[in-house]
Amino acid sequence: MTLLATITRNLLEAGPSPALEGLRRLAGNDIDLLAEVAGTCAGWYASPDTAALCDALATQIDGAASWVLVGRERRSRGNHGAPRD
């Protein structure tokens, strides 16, 4: 949860380096979890406004690129809230 919060808090920042450093520090030795969260978020949140961080997540975190399509696919499913009238 802390990794996700760090990503969402930094989505609109121009420079991704501080966020990437913070993510690596938080993940510690759990590089598989970092790759999954970073890649999935990069796919989910990808937009022109978030390109700096999302591109960096996908390309600068080892293993994250293979998770980007998972994030895109999950986002394409639409909302999963309660039915509304």
Side-chain angles (χ1 to χ4, degrees), residues 5-74:
T6 300
I7 291 170
T8 57
R9 188 173 47 248
N10 288 281
L11 277 172
L12 300 176
E13 296 296 323
S17 294
L20 294 176
E21 291 170 17
L23 290 168
R24 288 184 178 109
R25 186 174 46 255
L26 287 168
N29 293 328
D30 199 345
I31 57 173
D32 292 334
L33 177 63
L34 176 58
E36 181 178 349
V37 172
T40 303
C41 285
W44 179 278
Y45 291 110
S47 77
D49 294 330
T50 62
L53 182 59
C54 289
D55 292 347
L57 290 171
T59 61
Q60 296 180 34
I61 301 285
D62 290 338
S66 63
W67 287 96
V68 172
L69 289 176
V70 173
R72 287 183 189 154
E73 191 277 326
R74 289 179 182 170

